[in-house]
Amino acid sequence: MSAARAAASYQALQRYLAVGDGSGLYHERYPVAAGDNAYSYEWPFSQAHTATLDLTGMPGGQGEAYLRDLAARAVGQQRYWKASGGTTGKPGYASYPVPPYGGGGDFFYDDNEWVGLLDVQRYLTHGDREALERAERVFQLVVSGWDSDTAHADSGGVFWTQAAWSQDRNTVSNMPGAQLGLRLHQITGQASYLDWARRMYDWTNRHLLSPDGLYWDHVNLTDTVETTFWSYNQGVPVGVNVLLYEITGDREYLDRAQRIAGAAHSYFVTGGRLLGQPPYFNSIYFKNQLLLESVAGGHTHRDAMREYGETVWNRYRDAGTGLFHFDGAAWTETLQQAAMVQVYAALAWDPADCRKLY
């Protein structure tokens, strides 16, 4: 059932949200409204890219049908790549397509980390060496975003963006960076990847881990902490601790992963807050929980993910179009639709193969 739902949700994504001008890009939402950009920002595109990648991992030959589409996503992804122009001198993915499709945009470190992680997954799933090389270049950009000014409050950490209007350092710009570094260390054996991953992990734990065992969102340069709990900010630290356990063999990391996962389950699932989270945060949250269960065993989080997918399918899906409409909205965002493709595709994976997620 999950594979069929993933396929149907993806077909709707392609029918209503893919741009038909040969660019390989997506609209930000459907229906397109007056004043909307011609194309989506990089973050929604990366999640459509990830959704396609997750489809290729479905077992029993089902994933093979999406390999051509995965190649098309790589072409579209390149529309955001800037070989120069970042404030740190490192290339990366801009927030909007570059010429001739758009004017580019600022670099967001978390946006780039998601692409780096999907590139690692492409390598682990399909042996794509070019994707691995791009992931390594993305990590160089991430490292260049480290706050090295010791005069700053809570100095250290990777900034959220290079844009001048924000100097926040976030859980989401540091923990996914750590996860990317750990994956690259596992693949290449290079010590520098592990060293930087530990720095990002340790900084986040010092400054953004709450007494409740959950992670706050960000801290600014005046030491003001934004204390919102988002589901994806709990999921990624789970995955980071699982990878640290695999690399070091230290059981404490696996115990930490289980403690965070348990606290998040209590807060979001048992506490009834999960449907109040954006689906694109929940897809990241749950997939990291599947990574945990692929190593530690159990099915608590897979069961919760399946229940979430069932609820969303029955409550928010338009059966006529196959699109999901959240919070009573008249439109569907690429980011939302792609997230639900990921949820259903990942549920269709063999549980043991979920070690390749993120």
Side-chain angles (χ1 to χ4, degrees), residues 176-200:
Q179 194 165 31
L180 177 57
L182 293 171
R183 282 297 196 190
L184 291 174
H185 173 75
Q186 285 181 315
I187 294 166
T188 69
Q190 290 186 29
S192 62
Y193 290 131
L194 178 57
D195 292 342
W196 270 108
R198 286 185 183 277
R199 290 180 73 179
M200 297 172 195

Side-chain angles (χ1 to χ4, degrees), residues 6-18:
S9 301
Y10 177 72
Q11 289 168 6
L13 174 72
Q14 295 303 106
R15 179 177 181 181
Y16 293 103
L17 288 152

Side-chain angles (χ1 to χ4, degrees), residues 5 7-17 30-31 313 316-325 329-332 337:
R5 287 179 172 179
S9 301
Y10 177 72
Q11 289 168 6
L13 174 72
Q14 295 303 106
R15 179 177 181 181
Y16 293 103
L17 288 152
Y30 176 85
W313 185 270
Y316 298 115
R317 181 176 180 269
D318 180 341
T321 62
L323 296 172
F324 296 95
H325 297 271
W331 61 83
T332 297
Q337 191 74 18

Side-chain angles (χ1 to χ4, degrees), residues 275 277-280 282 308 311-313 315-317 323-333 335-337 339-340 344:
L275 289 174
Q277 295 285 296
Y280 39 89
N282 289 339
Y308 172 74
T311 299
V312 170
W313 185 270
R315 187 177 300 181
Y316 298 115
R317 181 176 180 269
L323 296 172
F324 296 95
H325 297 271
F326 292 90
D327 302 321
W331 61 83
T332 297
E333 297 176 5
L335 196 50
Q336 297 167 331
Q337 191 74 18
M340 294 314 302
Y344 298 122

